[in-house]
């Protein structure tokens, strides 16, 4: 059972408004972007570069730099597009660029710039937004506005660091985090878009709680009210992390009385990202190198603050959400829709309980045995995989599933590199 992460702004970009070119090439690129097929889009863009108008090429480049975790480059490109071409662009195209720019600022902890860009979008381009999207943006704006005066998160390394970790009650990875002079166990979860903490625990630690509140989306279709807190500093071994932002949830939202379990705190993706490289071994050691290691491999990207990994499943190359807080690997409804015939023939229908902040829900799935996955050149056979019949979130529309500990645990070591954007196993 895990916390369902906050759904930040998705990259719902379309380039059809930028350049009115009736040829098939821009149509192909637009379709790849619409499908979030970023690896294929990168190849297609390189192939057709010479035939594209500069503004259109820059648009695609900004999107790809954002996905492949080069946000500063994306920020620069979008700034140039808006400075040189915004008057000639339809409002809808400018609005899409501003949404992407907000995501870039969030990834680089530039909270004030993010809040200002939200204001520009909602004030000048409200006509491009439907009522649902506007309400979502206004809600999310409150999060980043509250952080406008908070300094950027920073990580300070003195060399290679090795930590011991252990699995907690629900089989999730826990790492030791020192605040002041006391050490605590925090869940270590790439699926948490922001680090998260129970309100009572935040007050016990004396964290600075900001006066704001906003709604979180949840896979169990229940709105959860959250606020924010900031840890001025915390330590992972010898590594100092400053200005760590936490979502603050009411104690009952992180309590699961049916299994007598309470989550105190989750260290989420933004901290892992700045650590650059994580080497997680099944023997209970976590190594964080002083410098990330380059490899001839790149199979990861970021959709918002969600790590996405490219893998092979039964011979198909697909994009999956990567969430170290997931116990079991599962396939989303998109996979079911594309392979419904053999799944219904070979699988067995069942109902599973999925947990999240605020409670649990019953979800219909097919259970399929012995699926073969290949990640970073390594293969793993997962004995049982649940395949969701219906969509339970926005990621179902664009990605094919989520990797769980049942796959990860088959290898002695997992290497996550957020500098060179790869996931591999050894």
């Amino acid at each position: 059972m895990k916390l369902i992460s906050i759904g930040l702004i998705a990259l719902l970009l379309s380039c059809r408004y930028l350049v009115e070119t009736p040829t098939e090439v821009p149509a192909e690129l637009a379709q790849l972007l619409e499908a979030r097929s970023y690896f294929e889009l990168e190849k297609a863009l390189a192939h057709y570069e010479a035939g594209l108008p500069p503004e259109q090429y820059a648009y695609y480049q900004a999107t790809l730099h954002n996905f492949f975790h080069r946000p500063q480059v994306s920020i620069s490109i979008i700034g140039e597009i808006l400075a040189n071409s915004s008057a000639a662009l339809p409002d809808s195209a400018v609005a899409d660029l501003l949404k992407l720019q907000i995501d870039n600022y969030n990834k680089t902890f530039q909270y004030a710039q993010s809040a200002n860009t939200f204001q520009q979008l909602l004030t000048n381009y409200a006509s491009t937004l439907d009522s649902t999207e506007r309400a979502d943006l206004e809600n999310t704006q409150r999060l980043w506005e509250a952080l406008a005066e908070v300094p950027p998160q920073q990580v300070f390394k003195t060399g290679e660091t090795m930590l011991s970790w252990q699995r907690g009650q629900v089989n999730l990875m826990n790492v030791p985090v020192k605040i002041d002079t006391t050490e605590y166990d925090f869940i270590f979860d790439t699926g948490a878009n922001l680090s998260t903490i129970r309100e009572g625990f935040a007050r016990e630690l004396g964290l600075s709680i900001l006066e704001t509140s906003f709604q979180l989306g949840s896979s169990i279709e229940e709105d959860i009210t959250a606020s924010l807190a900031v840890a001025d500093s915390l330590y992972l071994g010898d590594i100092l992390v400053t200005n760590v932002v936490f979502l603050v949830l009411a104690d009952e939202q992180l309590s699961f009385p049916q299994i007598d379990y309470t989550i105190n705190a989750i260290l989420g993706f933004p901290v892992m990202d700045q650590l650059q490289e994580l080497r997680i071994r099944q023997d209970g050691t976590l190594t964080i190198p002083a410098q990330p290691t380059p490899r001839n491999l790149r199979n990861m990207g970021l959709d918002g603050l969600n790590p996405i990994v490219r893998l092979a499943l039964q011979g198909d190359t697909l994009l999956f959400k990567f969430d170290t807080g997931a116990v079991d690997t599962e396939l989303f409804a998109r996979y079911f829709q594309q392979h419904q015939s053999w799944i219904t023939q070979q699988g067995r229908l069942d109902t599973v309980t999925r947990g999240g902040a605020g409670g649990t829900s019953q979800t219909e799935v097919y259970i399929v045995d012995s699926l073969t996955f290949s990640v970073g050149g390594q293969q793993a056979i997962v004995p049982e995989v649940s395949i969701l019949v219906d969509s339970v979130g926005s990621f179902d529309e664009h990605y094919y599933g989520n990797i769980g500990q049942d796959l990860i645990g088959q290898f002695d070591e997992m290497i996550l590199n957020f500098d060179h954007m790869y996931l591999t196993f050894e």
Side-chain angles (χ1 to χ4, degrees):
M1 188 171 298
K2 64 178 295 294
L3 175 70
I4 301 300
S5 307
I6 176 176
L8 299 179
I9 299 172
L11 305 179
L12 301 177
L13 302 176
S14 171
C15 56
R16 61 187 181 277
Y17 302 111
L18 283 176
V19 180
E20 294 183 3
T21 309
T23 64
E24 293 182 3
V25 173
E28 178 187 354
L29 296 178
Q31 290 165 5
L32 290 171
L33 182 56
E34 181 79 17
R36 303 197 196 184
S37 299
Y38 296 107
F39 289 87
E40 290 75 13
L41 175 62
E42 184 178 42
K43 292 180 181 178
L45 185 61
H47 181 73
Y48 294 121
E49 176 182 354
L52 290 176
E55 300 87 354
Q56 194 175 49
Y57 178 75
Y59 186 95
Y60 287 112
Q61 280 287 87
T63 305
L64 289 171
H65 282 301
N66 172 276
F67 178 75
F68 289 116
H69 203 19
R70 299 183 289 264
Q72 290 291 3
V73 180
S74 185
I75 287 171
S76 297
I77 293 173
I78 292 172
E80 290 179 9
I81 294 174
L82 294 179
N84 298 326
S85 309
S86 61
L89 295 176
D91 284 355
S92 55
V94 176
D96 282 340
L97 287 169
L98 292 175
K99 294 172 197 174
L100 188 60
Q101 195 73 308
I102 287 169
D103 186 67
N104 287 324
Y105 285 139
N106 294 341
K107 286 186 170 90
T108 52
F109 310 102
Q110 299 182 68
Y111 307 125
Q113 290 90 330
S114 175
N116 291 338
T117 308
F118 263 113
Q119 191 61 42
Q120 183 182 356
L121 173 62
L122 291 168
T123 300
N124 299 330
Y125 301 96
S127 62
T128 69
L129 310 171
D130 61 34
S131 58
T132 300
E133 184 178 18
R134 181 179 177 86
D136 179 63
L137 287 169
E138 289 174 343
N139 176 61
T140 311
Q141 179 188 23
R142 290 196 289 273
L143 186 160
W144 303 109
E145 277 187 336
L147 296 171
E149 302 299 321
V150 175
Q153 177 185 287
Q154 290 184 281
V155 164
F156 300 92
K157 300 179 186 178
T158 58
E160 180 175 281
T161 297
M162 181 177 291
L163 303 171
S164 295
W165 65 271
Q166 60 184 352
R167 295 206 180 276
Q169 181 178 335
V170 292
N171 205 36
L172 297 179
M173 182 179 177
N174 285 259
V175 298
V177 174
K178 188 169 70 173
I179 296 179
D180 292 329
T181 59
T182 306
E183 199 167 82
Y184 306 90
D185 284 338
F186 282 29
I187 292 173
F188 206 57
D189 185 3
T190 59
N193 297 154
L194 292 177
S195 297
T196 303
I197 196 166
R198 181 172 58 83
E199 182 177 3
F201 190 55
R203 296 190 183 281
E204 177 186 331
L205 296 178
L207 301 191
S208 303
I209 297 181
L210 306 179
E211 293 184 6
T212 186
S213 66
F214 46 89
Q215 298 296 113
L216 297 185
S218 166
S219 68
I220 57 172
E221 299 180 355
E222 179 180 345
D223 284 332
I224 306 298
T225 299
S227 57
L228 295 168
V230 179
D232 293 335
S233 64
L234 58 82
Y235 281 88
L236 290 163
D238 295 328
I239 298 173
L240 170 63
V241 190
T242 62
N243 306 311
V244 180
V245 173
F246 286 86
L247 290 175
V248 180
L249 296 180
D251 289 5
E252 58 268 24
Q253 303 296 349
L254 291 176
S255 298
F256 304 90
Q258 62 271 37
I259 58 172
D260 191 27
Y261 178 61
T262 298
I263 295 173
N264 281 327
I266 301 169
L267 211 58
F269 171 75
V271 173
M272 298 185 198
D273 178 27
Q274 281 202 319
L275 295 175
Q276 296 184 300
E277 181 173 319
L278 308 168
R279 293 174 169 264
I280 303 170
R281 292 188 57 81
Q282 293 300 325
D283 64 7
T285 58
L286 165 62
T287 302
I288 303 165
Q291 297 295 330
T293 306
R295 289 196 180 204
N296 187 26
L297 173 65
R298 189 190 59 178
N299 59 0
M300 283 206 306
L302 290 178
D303 188 329
L305 295 174
N306 296 286
I308 304 298
V309 63
R310 191 186 198 198
L311 56 76
L313 168 60
Q314 306 291 97
D316 292 330
T317 301
L318 307 171
L319 294 184
F320 271 55
K321 187 171 182 282
F322 182 67
D323 179 356
T324 56
V327 175
D328 300 314
T329 298
E330 66 179 7
L331 300 178
F332 295 160
R334 183 181 186 187
Y335 191 85
F336 176 77
Q337 292 160 6
Q338 294 184 8
H339 302 277
Q340 184 170 350
S341 178
W342 77 262
I343 291 172
T344 54
Q345 290 176 12
Q346 298 185 25
R348 56 189 184 277
L349 190 61
D350 199 354
T351 301
V352 298
T353 301
R354 304 177 86 246
T360 60
S361 64
Q362 300 294 309
T363 304
E364 193 173 68
V365 300
Y366 276 90
I367 307 295
V368 176
D369 296 330
S370 300
L371 294 186
T372 301
F373 296 79
S374 179
V375 186
Q378 299 287 348
Q379 282 194 344
I381 298 174
V382 180
E384 274 193 358
V385 178
S386 297
I387 305 175
L388 302 176
V389 174
D390 298 310
S391 175
V392 294
S394 61
F395 269 78
D396 289 35
E397 302 172 10
H398 305 285
Y399 303 110
Y400 287 90
N402 190 59
I403 294 175
Q405 292 293 333
D406 51 359
L407 186 154
I408 295 169
Q410 296 186 35
F411 301 95
D412 292 334
E413 183 176 51
M414 174 177 68
I415 303 173
L416 270 169
N417 189 304
F418 294 113
D419 187 59
H420 302 284
M421 295 308 290
Y422 65 79
L423 166 69
T424 191
F425 297 97
E426 293 183 351

